[in-house]
Amino acid sequence: MHSNCIILAGVRKEKDAEDIRNSGFRNLRPIIIDVAIEESCQRAVSEIHSICNEENLLFIGLINNAGVARRYPTELHDISDAKNMFATNFWGAFYLTQLLLPKLRESKGRIINFELLNTETKDHPRLKTNLEEMDRVMGCLLYTSDAADDMQCV
C-alpha cells in the first residue's frame, strides 16, 4: 500500500476499531459509524473531511457494505425490525453517500455498493427472504444511478 493513501474502515464498535488499530497496517484506520444513525454518519464524515484536509488526501472511494439481514420469511418480520433493516441497508447507505458526494466529485471517485443476494433461510432453503433484497438491491440501484448522474453534472 502506498504511503500517500489510507483506507478508512467504518466500524460500529470500539472493540473493532481497536482491533484495526492493532492490526499492524499503518494505512488502515477505523472510523466509528452506525449508518442507521444520522448523527453518527455526520460525525464520521466530519472526521473523514478532517483526515483528508490534514493529510492532503483525496477521498477517492466509498464502499457501502453495512447490512442487516434477518433470515426468515417476510411475513414473520416484525415491522420495527423491518424498519431497522431499511434504516441500515438502504437509508444509511443513501445518507452516507449523499454526505460524501462532494468529496467524491472533487476526486472523480467511485461508489461501490455490496448487496445481500444470498438470502435463503436456514430452515427454509428454498424460501427467499425478499425483504432484504428489496431494500438493498432496488434502493442501491436507484441512488447509485442518481449519484453517478450527479457526479457527471459538475
Side-chain angles (χ1 to χ4, degrees):
M1 187 179 306
H2 299 288
S3 62
N4 60 346
C5 72
I6 59 173
I7 296 172
L8 301 172
V11 296
R12 287 185 302 142
K13 300 174 189 159
E14 181 56 42
K15 163 84 171 90
D16 296 332
E18 193 60 36
D19 288 346
I20 288 173
R21 286 185 206 101
N22 294 329
S23 70
F25 294 103
R26 179 172 65 81
N27 292 5
L28 177 61
R29 301 184 198 165
I31 301 277
I32 302 284
I33 183 172
D34 183 337
V35 297
I37 301 170
E38 288 181 24
E39 294 80 15
S40 180
C41 290
Q42 292 163 356
R43 278 191 304 276
V45 168
S46 178
E47 188 175 347
I48 290 167
H49 283 271
S50 293
I51 291 168
C52 289
N53 291 337
E54 289 168 11
E55 301 188 31
N56 197 27
L57 296 170
L58 292 174
F59 185 78
I60 62 168
L62 170 64
I63 301 174
N64 285 314
N65 69 332
V68 176
R70 303 291 185 257
R71 309 238 182 253
Y72 41 84
T74 299
E75 67 269 16
L76 298 180
H77 280 276
D78 175 75
I79 191 67
S80 63
D81 189 52
K83 287 178 180 180
N84 181 52
M85 277 195 325
F86 274 78
T88 300
N89 297 352
F90 175 70
W91 290 114
F94 176 88
Y95 187 56
L96 187 59
T97 300
Q98 190 178 50
L99 291 173
L100 287 167
L101 273 174
K103 278 282 188 203
L104 290 166
R105 251 189 225 113
E106 279 177 25
S107 67
K108 297 184 174 141
R110 298 291 182 259
I111 302 165
I112 299 170
N113 291 305
F114 281 92
E115 314 304 337
L116 299 171
L117 295 176
N118 183 13
T119 58
E120 292 183 2
T121 64
K122 183 175 127 183
D123 297 329
H124 305 280
R126 293 185 186 166
L127 180 63
K128 294 284 184 176
T129 310
N130 295 325
L131 198 54
E132 298 98 73
E133 288 186 29
M134 182 174 62
D135 73 331
R136 291 280 289 180
V137 176
M138 295 305 294
C140 286
L141 287 174
L142 291 172
Y143 83 76
T144 300
S145 175
D146 285 348
D149 289 346
D150 289 346
M151 289 172 69
Q152 292 175 5
C153 290
V154 177

